[in-house]
Amino acid sequence: MSDNESQNKIDLEIVRRVQRGDKSAFDLLVIKYQHKLAKLVLPYVHDKDDVLDVVQESFIKAYKALPRFRGDSAFYTWLYRIAINTSKNYLTAQSRRPPRSDVDANDAEYYDGGSAMHDNTTPEANLARQQVKDAIDSAISSLPEELKVAITLREFEAMSYDEIANVMDCPVGTVRSRIFRARETIDNEIKNLL
């Protein structure tokens, strides 16, 4: 059994406990996924306090909808979909436009600057790292919605292409294309800085 399958099985058992009336079991899911959801929401909602509000609202919506969760998809896939929709609703309520594209979860180490960049502690290296990070943030923010979501799920949430296709309700080939286009756009934005 793969690690993902094992995690899905554990999550499903916790969900079943909640569905049987063990309300405290939901706390385990909150603890497990709160940081991942915050990373997922951050490209949409830039204020950290608002990110926490959106994450909390996502968990509230998930808890209320949990009796209807059948386990057709992995719990975290279902939860991430709720968080993305909650983020979009938040932006709409704030009269702001949702991001136009997805951020791939697998590119998170590059988005963060990677460990190699952290070895340089000179002011110049710190400035260069910050410039690259700002350029990546800017590039991600300017992506169309579907690209931003795809790249975020892949790079920041480390979801598989199949899981992303499930979340975005589109074919895997479309997911691959969106991630490729998002990476290409980001690469073009930062190539002069590197």
Side-chain angles (χ1 to χ4, degrees):
M1 180 180 291
S2 76
D3 220 21
N4 277 346
E5 290 171 341
S6 176
Q7 288 303 313
N8 292 341
K9 190 173 181 178
I10 292 168
D11 288 351
L12 188 57
E13 180 53 38
I14 294 170
V15 166
R16 297 297 180 236
R17 284 176 49 193
V18 176
Q19 289 174 333
R20 289 190 301 264
D22 183 358
K23 294 178 182 179
S24 64
F26 192 73
D27 293 343
L28 299 171
L29 296 170
V30 171
I31 291 166
K32 182 175 181 179
Y33 290 113
Q34 64 188 347
H35 296 293
K36 286 186 176 186
L37 281 190
K39 283 197 258 182
L40 177 71
V41 168
L42 191 59
Y44 294 88
V45 183
H46 301 292
D47 182 89
K48 291 188 179 179
D49 291 331
D50 292 340
V51 167
L52 297 176
D53 290 343
V54 171
V55 169
Q56 181 177 13
E57 181 66 23
S58 299
F59 278 116
I60 290 169
K61 288 179 179 181
Y63 183 79
K64 288 179 179 177
L66 211 54
R68 296 184 304 278
F69 179 75
R70 296 185 314 263
D72 295 337
S73 64
F75 172 76
Y76 63 84
T77 302
W78 179 75
L79 180 63
Y80 288 174
R81 187 178 297 139
I82 290 171
I84 288 171
N85 289 335
T86 303
S87 298
K88 291 177 185 177
N89 292 342
Y90 170 83
L91 292 178
T92 301
Q94 299 296 315
S95 300
R96 290 175 33 205
R97 222 172 85 193
R100 293 176 302 190
S101 70
D102 300 328
V103 177
D104 195 325
N106 289 333
D107 294 330
E109 70 178 288
Y110 302 111
Y111 178 81
D112 188 48
S115 60
M117 293 187 88
H118 295 294
D119 294 340
N120 301 322
T121 57
T122 66
E124 294 82 9
N126 288 336
L127 177 61
R129 182 174 50 246
Q130 187 61 46
Q131 287 174 330
V132 170
K133 184 184 181 311
D134 291 346
I136 292 171
D137 287 343
S138 176
I140 290 171
S141 294
S142 68
L143 289 171
E145 175 73 18
E146 68 277 356
L147 299 184
K148 186 184 287 188
V149 171
I151 195 77
T152 299
L153 293 176
R154 180 75 179 151
E155 301 303 328
F156 295 108
E157 299 306 322
M159 293 177 103
S160 71
Y161 289 104
D162 289 333
E163 291 168 331
I164 296 168
N166 187 21
V167 167
M168 297 186 74
D169 195 26
C170 66
V172 172
T174 302
V175 169
R176 290 183 189 281
S177 173
R178 289 175 179 173
I179 290 171
F180 175 81
R181 290 189 340 230
R183 287 178 177 160
E184 188 175 53
T185 300
I186 294 167
D187 287 347
N188 287 335
E189 288 292 323
I190 65 168
K191 68 182 172 187
N192 292 332
L193 294 174
L194 300 177

